Amino acid sequence: QLLQTAQAFVVGLSGGPREGEILSQSQACLVESRGGMSVLGRTYKLEFLEQGTVRDWPAPELTVICVAQQVRLANLAQGVAKAFGFDNDGQQLWVMMPNKNVANAGKPLNSFEYGFKKLLNTFGLQPLLSGPSSREKNLHSHRLCKTTGRLVGLTLANAVHVLMDLFGHQDPEMTVAYL
């Protein structure tokens, strides 16, 4: 589970997708695009369809490596379940890992919350997260989105327009809060 969460951390930081957008990614989510590689998923922000809308996020080299490793890890988890007689052959990229309850191995994951907490504790990073609220003291996908926004804001002159595209915002006012 720790490896999967670390890979989700990279995917979340590289493009700023929300948790549901990351969890919507399939094992076939890596695609070539005009600017290099992209990761396909579904966005639900500003969409009024229950199934969301397919969109892509840029995939730097490290993200491509992490997604490729995650495909192998998801297949491994599904293989463990199959070895015990459970048919968990979905195409989800982010899946439950084998544990005492092997029947769930390979089924779609529904949250990174526990994994992000474990990641912080394992690497002793919890003291680095501070803030007045408990949300600011935890690692979550929206925090990764904000970090991406701040880094882009510090490095690019046209940051608002880049972030609007990256985050799928339609209004610059939505984006300014991330800078």
Side-chain angles (χ1 to χ4, degrees):
Q1 181 180 14
L2 194 60
L3 177 59
Q4 175 171 250
T5 304
Q7 291 170 164
F9 177 89
V10 171
V11 170
L13 196 59
S14 68
R18 295 157 194 82
E19 182 175 55
E21 294 168 337
I22 297 171
L23 291 170
S24 75
Q25 295 166 347
S26 75
Q27 293 181 24
C29 67
L30 279 178
V31 295
E32 284 190 51
S33 62
R34 56 183 152 82
M37 297 298 287
S38 294
V39 178
L40 291 178
R42 293 189 169 277
T43 187
Y44 304 93
K45 183 163 184 134
L46 304 176
E47 298 296 329
F48 300 102
L49 304 170
E50 187 175 315
Q51 70 274 15
T53 300
V54 175
R55 69 155 289 192
D56 65 339
W57 290 267
E61 185 177 348
L62 183 58
T63 299
V64 172
I65 291 168
C66 287
V67 169
Q69 286 179 331
Q70 183 57 32
V71 168
R72 290 193 293 277
L73 189 60
N75 286 326
L76 181 65
Q78 291 168 340
V80 168
K82 190 173 270 189
F84 283 90
F86 301 102
D87 187 21
N88 299 343
D89 272 348
Q91 287 300 305
Q92 287 301 115
L93 181 61
W94 309 100
V95 298
M96 293 185 198
M97 291 294 120
N99 58 22
K100 293 177 186 173
N101 186 359
V102 177
N104 287 331
K107 288 184 178 177
L109 191 66
N110 61 9
S111 174
F112 290 109
E113 183 179 355
Y114 173 77
F116 280 148
K117 286 180 183 177
K118 188 172 182 179
L119 187 71
L120 289 175
N121 291 333
T122 299
F123 292 107
L125 300 173
Q126 189 65 53
L128 298 176
L129 299 180
S130 61
S133 72
S134 62
R135 182 154 172 82
E136 292 174 321
K137 294 177 183 172
N138 289 313
L139 180 60
H140 45 84
S141 62
H142 196 246
R143 187 178 191 115
L144 299 176
C145 186
K146 286 183 172 188
T147 300
T148 301
R150 289 187 179 112
L151 291 172
V152 169
L154 289 170
T155 57
L156 297 178
N158 59 344
V160 171
H161 297 293
V162 171
L163 290 173
M164 282 179 65
D165 184 46
L166 189 63
F167 296 158
H169 292 169
Q170 296 175 349
D171 183 349
E173 289 183 28
M174 291 175 73
T175 308
V176 170
Y178 290 86
L179 297 176

